[in-house]
Amino acid sequence: MKKLILLFTAFLFFTMTACASGNTDSTLSTDEAITGDTMNITITITNAAGKTHTLNATLAENKSAIAFAELLKKGAVTVAMHDYGSFEKVGSLGSSLLRSDTQITTEAGDIILYQGNQITIYYDKNSWNFTRLGKIDGVTQAELKAILGNGDVTAVFALF
């Protein structure tokens, strides 16, 4: 009987060890799959005046940004965005992403996930608990304000 209990205990130990060493988190394999150019996106903004600008952005290195890139692998995502608080454009992403909110003070060009299903582009500072998705490359605060303009915009997010 002792041998049977010992054998059963050993079996459980090895089974649990094997399961623990396996990759059961699908986003971890995604971390490895998305590298290089796929961590860059374009954002095509059409402002209320009808002017279109294409911006490049670099995604953050976190699971939320990787989930966003996975969403974009399925195709471009178009978001109707409106101004909020005179410091950001915000709109519904159309689906929810994994959140990893931390206290952040945003800067112009930050791309932020809010409440898991809202995406924002900041053109000024704000401080709150957010999940950083990325940062628009090579644009000043003044340039970004001019691109976003007054009123609503349409933003099309796509992989680079």
Side-chain angles (χ1 to χ4, degrees):
M1 182 69 168
K2 285 183 181 180
K3 284 185 177 181
L4 185 59
I5 292 172
L6 183 61
L7 197 57
F8 181 72
T9 304
F11 172 76
L12 283 177
F13 173 77
F14 288 117
T15 303
M16 290 171 44
T17 304
C19 288
S21 66
N23 183 0
T24 58
D25 183 354
S26 64
T27 44
L28 291 179
S29 62
T30 304
D31 285 347
E32 297 163 6
I34 299 177
T35 58
D37 290 340
T38 58
M39 291 305 286
N40 295 311
I41 62 171
T42 60
I43 308 167
T44 303
I45 305 280
T46 305
N47 65 25
K51 292 186 179 182
T52 300
H53 299 274
T54 300
L55 305 168
N56 294 327
T58 302
L59 293 179
E61 294 182 17
N62 62 47
K63 290 184 179 184
S64 301
I66 290 167
F68 186 48
E70 284 294 323
L71 177 65
L72 296 179
K73 276 186 171 182
K74 297 174 185 173
V77 173
T78 302
V79 179
M81 304 180 88
H82 64 276
D83 200 72
Y84 179 80
S86 298
F87 53 79
E88 70 182 74
K89 298 289 185 185
V90 62
S92 175
L93 191 53
S95 61
S96 292
L97 298 177
L98 173 73
R99 293 166 58 177
S100 55
D101 293 347
T102 58
Q103 181 67 33
I104 297 173
T105 298
T106 63
E107 299 176 354
D110 281 343
I111 304 165
I112 301 290
L113 179 66
Y114 176 65
Q115 295 185 340
N117 62 359
Q118 303 287 311
I119 192 161
T120 59
I121 300 173
Y122 279 84
Y123 58 87
D124 210 336
K125 292 184 179 186
N126 186 25
S127 187
W128 198 258
N129 287 329
F130 299 122
T131 300
R132 187 179 313 276
L133 291 179
K135 177 87 170 172
I136 296 173
D137 303 324
V139 64
T140 68
Q141 180 179 4
E143 291 169 332
L144 192 55
K145 277 181 124 174
I147 290 168
L148 294 173
N150 295 321
D152 296 344
V153 300
T154 300
V156 180
F157 298 85
L159 287 176
F160 204 64

